[in-house]
């Protein structure tokens, strides 16, 4: 049996049905070739508690009674399930059935509907089949391609469904750095083992070589063609081909690609005969193709052919609720890691507008922070100088000057950023001192009088260096010595 079990969370207010359902799945386990673990609960609170458990205890499949009773109904629980765990497969079940009921359940986010009087084997097969379709084997996932955050987890689920559907062309668009390459990795991981997956960077192929690269050539077709060469499209026969930066294709290349997609044949340069190919297409661009079509820069018929299904990636600034999870994940995946990010550093980073490079810019920042890391801890003082010098931070000074700083909102990074923007001091060294002072005040305010040893752990600064920096806070007039003495205990160090 596969090493990965199937965990099902079942909510129903009928104890007898819970017992029968669990027994039916246990009996089907051997036939399906998978270990099935069922958690049965009969009230909503217990269900939500089980749903919130972290992996590996989180459920793969949720089965919900439509009429659970009480104030919260099954449809609302389905919505909460998808919001909490997007990758979870949700089945709703009832003694009643009808188009209206099924439609309402699917509209609430359920993946399928089970009639309680259905044949046991049919129910087991539908649950197992849907789970298998939605969840590619983790063994094929690379270290850096895991779906992180609710957004990417939801996309991973959708990609898995698209792989098993009749869709032959998937288009991904989003700003630069939002993770289009990650979608291609998720799709490749979801494919059956051995399925071809060919990547083509359209912007990196010279126009004079494009035809030969895509379609191949035969020996003697042109000067330098000393052997037969298979093209990239033909190499993807039976699988997928990924056209990255598809908007950069020339007009001639667009015509050639459209012909292949419509006729499903390719002809190598210099060849007399065509070859049939069966290939699906993934394309990506950071420029909306419909806009390029309107401007006459991209063929409308090719655009329509590429966009049977579309995935749009939101920029990082529009999903900041996922920021801590993303940052921590990338920190653990970096070379020489895993690294840990101090909460104070996360506060500073969350106040930044990641508008230029999105997720890519976040990764670059974390990599730069490792230069100044102490051990494996990334602290606020590990943040690179360019982080503070970026135009987006400085541009806020105009707004901050017209609006009084709102200090004490629980985020030390935001307080410092506002105060720094309003007093006109654009010195990086001054900002570092203010950041250290903010951390001292926060730690001292929460814990009373703190030791230098504790501050060293929080900031990642060696104790000898930290003592010097604390004296500089007094020397530079940022805090009186008596006030600092009330916050930091240096006598016992």
């Amino acid at each position: 049996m596969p090493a990965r079990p199937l965990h099902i969370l079942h909510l129903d207010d009928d104890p007898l049905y819970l017992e029968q359902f669990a027994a039916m799945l246990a009996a089907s386990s051997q036939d399906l070739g998978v270990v099935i673990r069922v958690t049965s609960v009969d009230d909503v609170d217990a269900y939500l508690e089980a749903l919130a458990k972290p992996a590996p205890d989180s459920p793969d499949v949720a089965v919900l009674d439509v009429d659970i009773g009480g104030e919260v109904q099954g449809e609302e629980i389905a919505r909460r399930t998808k919001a909490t765990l997007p990758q979870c497969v949700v089945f709703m079940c009832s003694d009643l059935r009808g188009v209206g009921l099924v439609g309402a359940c699917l509209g609430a986010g359920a993946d399928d509907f089970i009639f309680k009087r259905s044949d046991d084997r049919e129910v087991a097969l539908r649950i197992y089949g849907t789970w298998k379709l939605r969840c590619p084997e983790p063994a094929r996932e690379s270290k850096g391609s895991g779906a992180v955050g609710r957004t990417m987890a939801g996309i991973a689920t959708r990609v898995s469904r698209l792989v098993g559907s009749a869709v032959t062309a998937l288009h991904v668009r989003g700003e630069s750095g939002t993770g289009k390459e990650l979608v291609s990795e998720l799709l490749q991981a979801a494919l059956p083992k051995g399925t071809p997956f060919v990547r083509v960077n359209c912007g990196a192929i010279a126009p004079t070589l494009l035809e030969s690269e895509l379609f191949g050539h035969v020996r003697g077709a042109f000067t330098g063609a000393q052997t037969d060469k298979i093209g990239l499209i033909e190499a993807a026969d039976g699988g997928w081909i990924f056209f990255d930066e598809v908007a950069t294709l020339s007009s001639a290349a667009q015509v050639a690609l459209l012909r292949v997609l419509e006729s499903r044949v390719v002809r190598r340069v210099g060849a007399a005969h065509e070859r049939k190919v069966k290939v699906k297409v993934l394309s990506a661009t950071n420029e909306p193709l419909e806009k390029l079509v309107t401007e006459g820069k991209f063929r409308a018929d090719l655009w329509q052919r590429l966009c049977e299904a579309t995935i749009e990636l939101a920029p990082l600034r529009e999903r900041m609720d996922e920021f801590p999870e993303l940052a921590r994940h990338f920190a653990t995946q970096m070379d020489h890691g895993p690294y840990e990010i101090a909460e104070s550093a996360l506060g500073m980073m969350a106040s930044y507008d990641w508008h230029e490079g999105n997720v890519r810019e976040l990764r670059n920042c974390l990599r730069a922070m490792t230069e100044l890391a102490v051990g494996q801890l990334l602290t606020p003082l590990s943040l690179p100088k360019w982080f503070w010098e970026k135009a987006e931070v400085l541009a806020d000074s105009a707004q901050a000057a017209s609006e009084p700083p709102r200090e004490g909102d629980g985020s030390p990074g935001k307080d410092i950023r506002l105060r720094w923007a309003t007093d006109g001091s654009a010195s990086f060294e001054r900002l570092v001192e203010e950041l250290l002072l903010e951390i001292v005040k926060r730690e001292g305010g929460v814990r009373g009088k703190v030791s230098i040893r504790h501050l060293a752990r929080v900031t990642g600064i060696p104790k000898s260096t930290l003592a010097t920096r604390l004296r500089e806070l007094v020397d530079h007039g940022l805090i009186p010595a008596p006030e600092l003495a009330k916050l930091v205990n240096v006598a016992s160090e």
Side-chain angles (χ1 to χ4, degrees), residues 93-354:
C93 57
S94 175
D95 283 319
L96 306 174
R97 62 179 171 184
V99 175
L101 178 60
V102 175
C105 292
L106 297 180
D111 297 282
D112 205 344
F113 179 89
I114 297 173
F115 181 51
K116 286 188 176 181
R117 300 172 193 173
S118 297
D119 177 74
D120 287 350
R121 179 165 177 77
E122 176 192 346
V123 172
L125 284 172
R126 283 170 61 191
I127 290 176
Y128 173 75
T130 305
W131 169 70
K132 197 69 175 175
L133 177 64
R134 297 281 294 275
C135 303
E137 291 295 330
R140 293 202 299 271
E141 295 180 3
S142 65
K143 177 182 177 182
S145 65
V148 187
R150 289 189 295 276
T151 297
M152 293 311 296
I155 289 175
T157 295
R158 188 178 174 206
V159 164
S160 297
R161 296 188 68 174
L162 287 168
V163 165
S165 72
V167 170
T168 62
L170 170 63
H171 181 66
V172 183
R173 67 182 182 188
E175 295 179 9
S176 178
T178 50
K180 295 184 288 295
E181 181 69 21
L182 180 56
V183 175
S184 74
E185 293 175 3
L186 291 171
L187 190 148
Q188 186 176 11
L191 295 174
K193 189 175 182 179
T195 303
F197 188 88
V198 177
R199 299 173 185 272
V200 182
N201 187 335
C202 300
I205 303 177
T208 55
L209 300 176
L210 184 66
E211 189 175 7
S212 174
E213 289 293 322
L214 291 183
F215 306 114
H217 61 252
V218 297
R219 180 181 179 183
F222 50 84
T223 302
Q226 299 179 355
T227 61
D228 289 353
K229 176 183 177 180
I230 186 173
L232 295 173
I233 294 177
E234 196 174 339
D237 187 23
W240 286 75
I241 186 167
F242 174 33
F243 289 105
D244 197 9
E245 299 183 29
V246 70
T248 63
L249 287 176
S250 65
S251 298
Q254 292 177 37
V255 172
L257 178 58
L258 177 63
R259 181 177 178 275
V260 172
L261 298 180
E262 292 291 353
S263 64
R264 300 292 174 178
V265 296
V266 296
R267 176 181 291 171
R268 296 181 184 180
V269 177
H273 303 288
E274 295 178 330
R275 298 168 183 263
K276 289 185 177 182
V277 291
K278 185 177 181 182
V279 63
K280 297 183 178 182
V281 177
L282 171 67
S283 59
T285 178
N286 57 11
E287 300 181 74
L289 289 184
E290 57 268 37
K291 179 175 179 290
L292 298 179
V293 169
T294 303
E295 296 173 352
K297 298 178 181 178
F298 201 86
R299 293 183 63 94
D301 44 8
L302 179 57
W303 165 57
Q304 294 166 354
R305 188 66 186 77
L306 292 173
C307 298
E308 287 182 4
T310 59
I311 291 177
E312 185 147 6
L313 296 174
L316 181 57
R317 63 180 176 274
E318 293 181 7
R319 46 189 176 110
M320 289 301 291
D321 58 323
E322 301 176 30
F323 181 85
E325 184 181 0
L326 287 168
R328 291 191 181 101
H329 171 78
F330 293 144
T332 63
Q333 298 294 310
M334 291 189 295
D335 291 343
H336 308 293
Y339 289 91
E340 180 185 355
I341 309 178
E343 289 296 325
S344 48
L346 274 177
M348 290 300 300
M349 297 171 75
S351 70
Y352 183 73
D353 188 359
W354 303 89

Side-chain angles (χ1 to χ4, degrees), residues 438-450 486-487:
E438 187 71 26
I439 295 172
V440 169
K441 288 182 176 179
R442 185 194 64 182
E443 294 297 317
V446 172
R447 301 171 179 271
K449 205 169 188 178
V450 297
K486 293 178 181 179
L487 297 170

Side-chain angles (χ1 to χ4, degrees), residues 480-491:
E483 185 177 342
L484 181 62
K486 293 178 181 179
L487 297 170
V488 183
N489 181 15
V490 295

